[in-house]
Amino acid sequence: MLFRPFLSLSKRRRCDELDLLRRERTEGIGSILSVFGMIFLVSLIFLVSLIVLKPLVELRQIEQEREEAQTALRRTQADMRRAHDEFVWMQDPEYFEQIARDRSNLAKAGEIVIRPPRPERRTAN
């Protein structure tokens, strides 16, 4: 206060006590504000991380599903190629005849069939 030197001693003490109370209050308010500020800052960071991280996690899940779908597509395409090749071979009469002769253990006239020897079975004594 500007006019303190002109106040009486008891009023100066009262003013000093009031100043001291004001300082204590402002210090208390300052500490409360700093605590609320920290709480607000942590809450804000949490909300921003939720807003940013949730789409990133969903994007990663979508990418994994896409990779799995591409792998399944590649497997299916390979199966289709094999089935198509087998279908084409089955349309060839020579291939069909060869399979039939192999399964029924027959040979054409003049054709030599070579079979690997079967392993001998040893009996235990």
Side-chain angles (χ1 to χ4, degrees):
M1 295 198 131
L2 297 173
F3 301 106
R4 277 197 190 164
F6 301 110
L7 295 174
S8 66
L9 185 61
S10 64
K11 288 186 180 180
R12 259 192 258 161
R13 283 186 187 157
R14 195 176 296 160
C15 287
D16 289 341
E17 289 172 0
L18 288 175
D19 284 342
L20 183 63
L21 285 173
R22 282 186 200 126
R23 279 190 216 124
E24 288 175 359
R25 287 181 191 159
T26 56
E27 286 175 3
I29 291 173
S31 65
I32 289 172
L33 286 177
S34 66
V35 168
F36 281 128
M38 291 299 290
I39 291 172
F40 177 74
L41 185 63
V42 168
S43 300
L44 184 66
I45 290 172
F46 178 72
L47 288 175
V48 168
S49 67
L50 281 178
I51 292 169
V52 171
L53 292 179
K54 186 175 179 182
L56 291 176
V57 169
E58 289 174 354
L59 179 65
R60 181 62 187 143
Q61 289 174 346
I62 290 170
E63 286 176 353
Q64 286 177 340
E65 290 173 4
R66 181 176 164 254
E67 289 174 7
E68 290 171 2
Q70 284 181 340
T71 303
L73 176 65
R74 278 188 232 113
R75 268 191 247 121
T76 303
Q77 286 174 341
D79 289 344
M80 284 181 58
R81 276 192 300 269
R82 270 188 249 113
H84 180 264
D85 291 344
E86 193 172 311
F87 177 74
V88 169
W89 293 337
M90 293 301 285
Q91 299 301 317
D92 183 17
E94 290 179 16
Y95 176 76
F96 189 71
E97 180 184 339
Q98 180 67 37
I99 295 294
R101 280 189 282 123
D102 286 345
R103 289 187 181 167
S104 58
N105 293 325
L106 298 174
K108 283 185 178 179
E111 188 176 57
I112 299 173
V113 178
I114 301 174
R115 298 187 193 271
R118 292 186 182 189
E120 295 179 18
R121 293 187 186 178
R122 294 185 181 178
T123 58
N125 291 334

